[in-house]
Amino acid sequence: MAITLDQTASVKMTLEEFFNYDDGTDAMYEFEDGELLLMPAESERNQRIAMFILICFVQLGISSSQLRMKTEIVTTGSRVRVPDLVVFSEELATAMEDAKRSTVMPEMPPPLLVVEVVSPNQSSRDYRYKRSEYAARGIPEYWIVDPIQEQVTVLEWVEGFYEEKVYVGDNAIASLVFPDLKLTAAQVLHCH
């Protein structure tokens, strides 16, 4: 039985109820400690940025079976995040082959990389909360592409913590996961 949004106002949902939730619309939700978080519609610029990065990864030779947009990731406990772009390891791509829902479950290997493109009024979620959740999930690299601040923050998993590097303008982005990547912050932010 599907739960309606009205029922969630006073009662916290379980993760299973979240996975069965259907409000009859195409709205996307993240899930945080029993509550639905409506994801606002993406701006045209944010969509272009995510698509540009996806195309760059394809040109780098990453298989389409390893690339996803808007895939759910169960991060910690009862939290589900939906990054703009996810790069799977080969092992994760294999684990996802027969999945009925595009969700990376806790028992699956972590993605190699998640990319969040910051939307207005969402920066604290991308910079703070998701950072700790993706770290707890053991994701080797997390990019925060911020068109508002005109910067790309790359967080690399080193000895149990994320080390942060911020790239602006013509600074070349360095990636431990993808060392052959040849992109600057300006190219990512302006999609060229």
Side-chain angles (χ1 to χ4, degrees), residues 154-170:
V154 175
L155 301 158
E156 296 170 335
W157 186 251
V158 179
E159 296 180 11
F161 296 97
Y162 275 139
E163 289 187 3
E164 176 180 312
K165 295 178 186 161
V166 178
Y167 300 91
V168 296
D170 291 328

Side-chain angles (χ1 to χ4, degrees), residues 38-81:
L38 179 63
M39 295 179 61
E42 290 289 343
S43 71
E44 182 62 26
R45 182 175 185 195
N46 284 19
Q47 287 185 359
R48 279 196 320 267
I49 289 170
M51 187 61 70
F52 176 78
I53 296 169
L54 176 85
I55 291 167
C56 289
F57 284 140
V58 168
Q59 292 172 342
L60 195 60
I62 297 168
S63 167
S64 62
S65 67
Q66 293 178 259
L67 297 168
R68 296 290 184 285
M69 297 182 87
K70 300 297 183 183
T71 287
E72 297 171 323
I73 300 173
V74 179
T75 57
T76 56
S78 61
R79 291 184 179 221
V80 178
R81 298 301 185 188

